[in-house]
Amino acid sequence: MAPAVTAFQPDFLFYLAGADVLAGDQLGRLALTPAGVRDRDNRVLLWAARAGLPTTLVMAGGYHRDPQTLIDVRLGTLDAALAAFGPVDRHKVTAPAAPG
């Protein structure tokens, strides 16, 4: 990632994984291929995992005329997250402590 992000040393990452960057999207003006979106996701998520950052991943955007293309890209984002962070053991996930 950019040196500015590394210098900032964030405590967490909120990743808004938009799919409106796909070529053929009705509203987006970028033209990434599905492989390009996957590369973006891999770069962001691997960086976050290596940095040990708690990450919230939110799917956003996506107005492609072909629903299957959009579904495939979204599944690719989830695959990238699993590859970066590994499967979650739901028995080890704990609720945040109550304030105060």
Side-chain angles (χ1 to χ4, degrees), residues 39 58 62-63 69-70 80 83:
D39 184 55
V58 178
Y63 310 95
T69 299
L70 187 56

Side-chain angles (χ1 to χ4, degrees), residues 33-88:
T33 64
V37 175
R38 179 64 182 261
D39 184 55
R40 174 204 66 182
D41 293 339
N42 283 333
R43 288 173 184 255
V44 171
L45 295 167
L46 282 172
W47 171 80
R50 289 178 183 149
L53 289 175
T55 300
T56 297
L57 170 65
V58 178
M59 303 290 184
Y63 310 95
H64 202 280
R65 295 185 193 281
D66 178 14
Q68 190 61 53
T69 299
L70 187 56
I71 290 166
D72 290 345
V73 166
R74 298 243 189 257
L75 290 174
T77 299
L78 295 175
D79 285 343
L82 286 173
F85 289 97
V88 174

